[in-house]
């Protein structure tokens, strides 16, 4: 049989990291959307789990009156964090 080489492309790496972060989280993406709706008027259009300064966080973007508002939440606790 032939061997197959799997190339780890940036989108695959990012998706893998996001899945790992969410598996460690005590909150779901839906919980984060609900928290953002409570904290900021507008429409939530993006939730991205990521590492920021070695801390698991979620960047939540909210559209409000033609502008984008960026919110940050701790993935381990679900608490809002400052920039």
């Amino acid at each position: 049989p032939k061997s197959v080489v799997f190339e780890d492309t940036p989108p695959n790496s990012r998706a893998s990291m996001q899945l790992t972060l969410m598996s460690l989280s005590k909150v779901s993406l839906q919980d984060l959307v609900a928290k953002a709706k409570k904290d900021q008027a507008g429409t939530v259009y993006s939730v991205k789990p990521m590492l920021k300064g070695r801390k698991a966080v979620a960047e939540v973007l909210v559209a409000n009156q033609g502008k984008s508002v960026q919110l940050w939440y701790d993935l381990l606790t679900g608490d809002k964090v400052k920039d």
Side-chain angles (χ1 to χ4, degrees):
K2 290 184 177 181
S3 63
V4 177
V5 176
F6 176 76
E7 292 185 32
D8 197 12
T9 62
N12 288 344
S13 296
R14 187 171 40 252
S16 178
M17 180 190 65
Q18 290 174 342
L19 286 170
T20 300
L21 291 173
M22 289 310 299
S23 72
L24 298 171
S25 179
K26 294 181 181 175
V27 294
S28 68
L29 293 175
Q30 292 142 333
D31 295 334
L32 293 169
V33 169
K35 286 175 180 277
K37 284 182 176 181
K38 189 191 276 189
D39 293 340
Q40 175 66 49
T43 303
V44 176
Y45 68 91
S46 177
V47 180
K48 286 190 254 176
M50 62 180 66
L51 288 173
K52 183 177 178 186
R54 301 182 89 184
K55 186 171 186 173
V57 296
E59 174 195 46
V60 181
L61 299 177
V62 182
N64 186 12
Q65 298 182 351
K67 295 186 179 181
S68 184
V69 179
Q70 184 182 49
L71 304 173
W72 294 94
Y73 293 90
D74 185 308
L75 281 178
L76 298 181
T77 64
D79 295 335
K80 188 175 177 185
V81 294
K82 295 181 182 180
D83 294 344

